[in-house]
């Protein structure tokens, strides 16, 4: 009889390496995993060395995503019958990971490796544990910086005026390092949740591909991914005005403005806490199409979903998905409440109808 290998996640390893507490179950699992093979122990040591004492030149070149993918060969052992020469890497939730492009064009990678903080410009500060990049007003001149958050990442920004912005996976935000002008303007591609500091003298403006959002001291969510046909702005509190082609539409809390490709703006009543929930670690959805939900999950877990049949895209799902849940648990939850099944092959996930004859790929 074959012994089933101990499953381990990158999160458990990383929390252990960085001295964060593990649950009793995780501690046992880590111990079993380390006892299982010399290869596991060697990997753990290598990870620890890289993470805790990166040498200067190495630190700048450690590609965290690659590093995690290399680890993934151990993470989710394949069952022998599905073993292929190229073992697919495990699918793990996103984490606090981003890059910031400074005024001079140089890039700083923001990860657990706090040593990159030494290369930050004046007035900038980074808290790697919290995934927070902050700016303080300082004597230098106003420069544009850009926060680039890849698929599988997220990051929080505190601007020099005290505004806090949570930037979601697959997004970019360009912003000034401090505010010297009459307006506070940032540019977003992707999704972000804003808590804007009040300043009656200097309006705060968010520009996206299709619209300009003028903020009157408030918290709201903007979803404006370039690959999506719609842009959605959801107001949690305060007031915003959305300008498209010179026409301003004002929103009240609990309203969402949806801008279509043609530039038409439609306002509807929504539960704002659902649209804004992702920044708290939960993806809440209510009667949302499967296509939209899987697009969002795809960015966070860095996987690509395809639909065997277009009718499946329009199925609806309601529920709370934990953003840090194991990917298979997320699929299980969706499977339990809809009529679909998933065929996972590497980082490609095909959505099929439940009553469909199974294929010979590994079924999760």
């Amino acid at each position: 009889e074959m012994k089933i290998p101990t499953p381990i996640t990158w999160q458990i390893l990383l929390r252990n390496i960085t001295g964060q507490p593990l649950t009793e179950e995780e501690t046992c699992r880590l111990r079993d995993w380390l006892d299982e093979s010399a290869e596991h122990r060697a990997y753990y040591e290598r990870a620890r060395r890289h993470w805790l004492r990166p040498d200067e030149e190495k630190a700048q070149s450690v590609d965290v995503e690659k590093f995690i993918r290399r680890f993934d060969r151990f993470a989710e052992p394949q069952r022998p019958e599905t073993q292929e020469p190229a073992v697919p890497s495990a699918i793990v939730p996103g984490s606090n990971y981003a890059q910031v492009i400074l005024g001079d064009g140089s890039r700083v990678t923001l990860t657990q490796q706090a040593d990159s903080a030494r290369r930050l410009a004046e007035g900038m500060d980074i808290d790697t544990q919290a995934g927070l990049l902050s700016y303080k007003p300082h004597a230098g001149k106003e420069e544009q910086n850009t926060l680039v958050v890849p698929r599988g990442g997220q990051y929080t920004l505190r601007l020099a005026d005290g505004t806090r912005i949570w930037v979601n996976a697959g997004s970019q935000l360009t912003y000034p390092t401090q505010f010297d002008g009459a307006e506070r303007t940032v540019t977003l591609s992707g999704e972000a949740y804003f808590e804007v500091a009040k300043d009656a003298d200097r309006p705060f403006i968010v520009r996206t591909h299709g619209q300009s959002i003028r903020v009157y001291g408030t918290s709201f969510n903007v979803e404006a991914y370039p690959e999506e046909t719609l842009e959605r702005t959801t107001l949690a509190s305060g007031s915003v005005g959305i300008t498209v082609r010179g026409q301003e539409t004002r929103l009240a809390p609990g309203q969402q403005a949806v801008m279509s490709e043609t530039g038409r703006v439609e306002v509807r009543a929504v539960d704002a806490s659902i649209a804004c929930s992702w920044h708290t670690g939960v993806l809440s959805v209510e009667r949302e199409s499967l296509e939209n939900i899987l697009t969002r999950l795809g960015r966070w877990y860095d996987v690509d979903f395809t639909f065997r049949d277009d009718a499946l895209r329009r199925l609806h799902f309601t529920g709370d998905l934990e953003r840090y849940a194991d990917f298979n648990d997320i699929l299980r939850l969706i499977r339990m409440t809809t009529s679909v099944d998933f065929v996972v092959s590497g980082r490609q996930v095909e959505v099929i109808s439940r009553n469909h004859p199974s294929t010979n790929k590994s079924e999760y």
Side-chain angles (χ1 to χ4, degrees):
E1 189 181 326
M2 203 196 109
K3 187 181 173 304
I4 302 292
T6 310
I8 191 87
T9 66
W10 171 248
Q11 275 75 3
I12 292 179
L13 273 192
L14 187 56
R15 288 215 305 278
N16 182 259
I17 287 170
T18 54
Q20 296 170 58
L22 297 181
T23 66
E24 203 171 322
E25 193 263 338
E26 288 171 334
T27 305
C28 293
R29 188 189 288 194
L30 178 63
R31 201 176 51 225
D32 292 347
W33 185 80
L34 288 169
D35 288 346
E36 212 163 70
S37 78
E39 203 183 0
H40 289 179
R41 290 190 293 280
Y43 182 85
Y44 176 84
E45 275 313 309
R46 206 160 63 245
R48 221 168 54 101
R49 267 202 314 281
H50 260 297
W51 216 261
L52 299 178
R53 292 194 301 278
D55 342 344
E56 272 311 291
E57 69 285 352
K58 267 216 203 85
Q60 298 179 28
S61 63
V62 169
D63 176 338
V64 173
E65 286 182 19
K66 255 206 207 88
F67 194 60
I68 291 177
R69 300 243 159 94
R70 246 201 350 253
F71 157 81
D72 290 335
R73 284 190 305 123
F74 308 117
E76 297 267 323
Q78 293 302 102
R79 291 184 293 285
E81 71 273 15
T82 63
Q83 202 125 34
E84 301 142 16
V87 177
S89 54
I91 294 169
V92 295
S95 57
N96 294 328
Y97 180 74
Q99 284 193 326
V100 61
I101 304 174
L102 306 179
D104 61 7
S106 64
R107 283 176 180 249
V108 179
T109 300
L110 309 175
T111 65
Q112 300 292 115
Q113 290 159 322
D115 87 311
S116 59
R118 290 205 290 272
R119 296 191 296 279
L120 293 181
E122 187 194 352
M124 289 170 74
D125 186 38
I126 173 180
D127 176 345
T128 51
Q129 290 311 116
L132 173 69
L133 171 63
S134 320
Y135 290 79
K136 293 186 206 50
H138 64 284
K141 62 181 192 318
E142 175 185 308
E143 282 190 348
Q144 294 292 314
N145 284 5
T146 298
L147 186 70
V148 180
V149 182
R151 287 166 65 102
Q154 68 177 11
Y155 225 78
T156 309
L157 195 57
R158 188 165 58 218
L159 300 182
D161 65 345
T163 292
R164 284 176 86 94
I165 307 173
W166 285 258
V167 184
N168 207 348
S171 306
Q172 289 197 23
L173 186 85
T174 301
Y175 52 91
T177 50
Q178 49 188 8
F179 296 101
D180 299 338
E183 291 183 339
R184 299 172 286 164
T185 302
V186 302
T187 304
L188 171 71
S189 166
E191 182 170 24
Y193 178 74
F194 295 80
E195 283 183 358
V196 175
K198 282 195 167 58
D199 181 344
D201 300 330
R202 287 181 303 177
F204 193 97
I205 292 164
V206 181
R207 293 195 195 288
T208 65
H209 169 68
Q211 52 190 2
S212 165
I213 302 162
R214 181 174 278 259
V215 177
Y216 302 91
T218 185
S219 33
F220 62 104
N221 193 72
V222 180
E223 206 181 336
Y225 283 99
E227 68 274 17
E228 301 281 317
T229 54
L230 302 174
E231 292 191 6
R232 297 185 186 87
T233 305
T234 311
L235 184 61
S237 67
S239 171
V240 297
I242 291 156
T243 301
V244 177
R245 298 181 182 163
Q247 246 353 80
E248 189 182 61
T249 306
R250 288 292 276 265
L251 289 190
Q255 288 185 327
Q256 180 179 74
V258 183
M259 188 200 85
S260 67
E261 277 175 304
T262 59
R264 240 186 82 232
V265 177
E266 193 184 307
V267 175
R268 54 190 182 200
V270 295
D271 179 340
S273 67
I274 287 180
C276 303
S277 64
W278 68 267
H279 87 280
T280 63
V282 177
L283 183 59
S284 287
V285 287
E286 195 168 330
R287 289 204 54 69
E288 182 82 62
S289 77
L290 204 54
E291 179 170 34
N292 284 354
I293 294 160
L294 297 183
T295 298
R296 296 164 80 176
L297 289 173
R299 288 187 195 110
W300 182 236
Y301 287 89
D302 191 10
V303 296
D304 291 306
F305 287 95
T306 53
F307 291 84
R308 185 169 292 180
D309 171 3
D310 277 347
L312 300 174
R313 297 172 187 274
R314 295 184 289 279
L315 292 175
H316 283 87
F317 176 82
T318 296
D320 288 346
L321 302 170
E322 294 282 334
R323 267 166 74 89
Y324 290 98
D326 179 87
F327 186 63
N328 290 330
D329 290 344
I330 295 267
L331 297 190
R332 203 168 293 131
L333 193 61
I334 295 174
R335 197 189 274 131
M336 266 163 48
T337 52
T338 59
S339 56
V340 301
D341 212 337
F342 299 97
V343 182
V344 180
S345 174
R347 305 196 84 77
Q348 303 293 319
V349 182
E350 192 179 15
V351 185
I352 62 174
S353 176
R354 176 80 51 77
N355 47 25
H356 205 283
S358 150
T359 67
N360 59 5
K361 287 181 180 164
S362 58
E363 297 266 356
Y364 278 57

